[in-house]
Amino acid sequence: MNDTADDKRSALRQLGLWGLLASWEQIRSAPWLDELIAFERAERQRRSLERRVRSARLGSFKPLADFDWRWPKKIDRAAIDELCSLDFLAERANVVLVGPNSCGKTTIAKNLAHLALLAGHSVRFVSASAMLTDLASCESTAALERRFRRYSRPALLVIDELGYLSYDARFADLLFEIVSRRYQHSSTIVTTNKPFAQWGDVFPNATTVVTIVDRLVHKAEILAIDADSFRLKEATERSAAKATARKRLPREATPA
């Protein structure tokens, strides 16, 4: 660490080490000062990451290093690799992952969210049904406003599984409010099993659907994935492995 005296004083101020600042003239040349600042910064970063990971609620997920890129019939790996650079966060752009059930959309979204956490960004992961139900359950304007802030503030919001259920116009209005508050201020990842032309089926009779789509896609990377179910694939492979293992077991002796 080769910081100047002003850099070190600034670091102490940022870290809230007021006692050391008050004794600056006595400790400015201390050989342990650089190491102490480095330790304190590392600990703050560790605790910050822990808090953000808890708040994000990602749960477990398969890392992209274990993703079977050969399985999907259609997937733009180069585009996904580019998204992993997190440039879309700096651009405050959105990402929409479209594809059938169990094609890897959620796995990709969670990996992008995890990378954002490691890079120091605030993240929240939530299913569309959980978020909309949470918002709709608020019994007062103040409570609803607090919930809106919960989903509007993170640098990255992941809305998972939009399209698997249908909702009335009230839910569409709530989603519209979240999308509008985040519009051009922060990034949103949406995973959905329905192309935009079918979102009217998700929110039948809602007047805000066109505007929701318009604001989501204004600055967005839209990636279509086509694949048979990964879960069905893994279940088939598991059954085949068990069948093979059973064949290798020694057969019981036949009674004389």
Side-chain angles (χ1 to χ4, degrees):
M1 184 174 178
N2 298 313
D3 292 346
T4 65
D6 286 344
D7 291 334
K8 294 175 185 178
R9 292 187 70 177
S10 177
L12 294 177
R13 191 174 295 108
Q14 291 172 356
L15 295 168
L17 300 176
W18 308 113
L20 294 179
L21 273 173
S23 307
W24 175 249
E25 291 304 324
Q26 292 94 324
I27 60 100
R28 63 183 301 168
S29 300
W32 45 262
L33 182 57
D34 287 353
E35 193 171 26
L36 183 143
I37 291 174
F39 283 151
E40 190 67 25
R41 280 175 169 165
E43 177 61 16
R44 298 289 177 92
Q45 290 169 357
R46 184 190 66 79
R47 285 185 289 170
S48 173
L49 178 58
E50 283 186 350
R51 286 194 301 271
R52 286 182 286 108
V53 167
R54 286 195 301 269
S55 178
R57 300 184 179 183
L58 283 185
S60 60
F61 60 94
K62 178 188 293 185
L64 283 183
D66 297 333
F67 191 85
D68 186 355
W69 296 99
R70 298 167 300 176
W71 180 252
K73 303 169 187 173
K74 175 186 176 183
I75 190 167
D76 191 340
R77 184 173 181 177
I80 293 168
D81 288 342
E82 184 177 325
L83 288 173
C84 289
S85 71
L86 302 180
D87 286 346
F88 73 96
L89 287 176
E91 298 168 3
R92 295 178 174 82
N94 300 323
V95 177
V96 182
L97 300 170
V98 187
N101 183 45
S102 188
C103 70
K105 303 185 301 295
T106 299
T107 294
I108 294 167
K110 285 190 172 185
N111 273 272
L112 292 174
H114 187 248
L115 288 172
L117 284 169
L118 294 178
H121 300 284
S122 57
V123 174
R124 180 168 287 272
F125 178 93
V126 65
S127 70
S129 60
M131 182 183 74
L132 294 176
T133 300
D134 183 32
L135 292 169
S137 66
C138 294
E139 297 181 354
S140 68
T141 302
L144 181 58
E145 181 59 33
R146 287 194 295 272
R147 288 295 192 273
F148 277 142
R149 288 198 295 270
R150 171 183 290 181
Y151 300 112
S152 300
R153 282 179 174 172
L156 176 61
L157 175 67
V158 181
I159 304 174
D160 194 35
E161 297 184 335
L162 182 62
Y164 289 83
L165 300 174
S166 60
Y167 306 92
D168 61 25
R170 161 70 169 157
F171 286 82
D173 292 343
L174 293 170
L175 179 61
F176 169 77
E177 183 67 21
I178 294 296
V179 170
S180 296
R181 291 189 181 210
R182 298 182 60 80
Y183 180 57
Q184 294 189 326
H185 294 289
S186 45
S187 296
T188 303
I189 296 177
V190 175
T191 73
T192 178
N193 65 329
K194 285 186 167 54
F196 295 121
Q198 296 179 18
W199 278 29
D201 298 334
V202 182
F203 301 102
N205 304 316
T207 59
T208 55
V209 174
V210 173
T211 308
I212 291 171
V213 172
D214 182 65
R215 294 189 178 183
L216 272 177
V217 304
H218 176 216
K219 288 171 61 178
E221 183 80 31
I222 303 169
L223 298 178
I225 304 171
D226 185 14
D228 294 328
S229 169
F230 270 105
R231 283 189 281 270
L232 179 59
K233 168 182 177 286
E234 291 173 352
T236 302
E237 290 173 347
R238 190 181 305 112
S239 296
K242 287 184 176 181
T244 301
R246 284 194 294 269
K247 290 179 181 178
R248 292 174 180 169
L249 292 174
R251 296 183 179 178
E252 293 184 4
T254 304

